[in-house]
Amino acid sequence: TVSDGDEKSPALRIISEETLRDRWDDCRPPNETEMRQTSVLSLPIDEASARVSRGPSEDEPEDLDLETWAGVLPLVTHVADPAPAPDLAAGIARPGYLPRGALGRRL
């Protein structure tokens, strides 16, 4: 757990900016209570693996005769149109970094 404020605040900024670029500078900084209520973890990654593919599976020839379903299960993640808070003051425009529809960033 990252508890040192000199490390925690920059870590939260990085997380925020990776989620929605330029949002951090548009908001007030977290207050002391919010900082205490928010956890940031620092985890070493010694080893990782992933299988990423596009298109149909490439089955081994001996597997083609098996009566087993094979295919692709697409995973799609997107951001829908932004919705203003119900109590947002009139006249506050949507910031430029928050366009309509998908934000153009992978989640």
Side-chain angles (χ1 to χ4, degrees):
T1 303
V2 177
S3 56
D4 183 303
D6 291 338
E7 292 181 51
K8 191 173 186 178
S9 185
L12 289 171
R13 181 185 185 112
I14 290 168
I15 293 166
S16 175
E17 290 295 303
E18 283 297 317
T19 304
L20 193 58
R21 192 174 324 276
D22 296 331
R23 178 68 173 162
W24 185 266
D25 290 331
D26 195 35
C27 297
R28 66 164 173 76
N31 63 39
E32 189 176 316
T33 300
E34 292 165 335
M35 289 295 278
R36 276 196 318 272
Q37 294 174 337
T38 304
S39 295
V40 174
L41 301 177
S42 174
L43 304 170
I45 300 175
D46 298 324
E47 191 174 317
S49 67
R51 176 158 188 215
V52 179
S53 62
R54 294 180 188 265
S57 58
E58 297 177 13
D59 293 319
E60 298 296 328
E62 60 269 19
D63 292 340
L64 296 176
D65 292 331
L66 296 175
E67 293 185 21
T68 303
W69 184 89
V72 176
L73 180 60
L75 175 62
V76 179
T77 304
H78 72 280
V79 177
D81 286 341
D87 57 354
L88 182 68
I92 297 179
R94 186 178 58 247
Y97 61 78
L98 191 61
R100 289 196 175 276
L103 297 178
R105 299 185 39 84
R106 288 179 277 157
L107 298 179

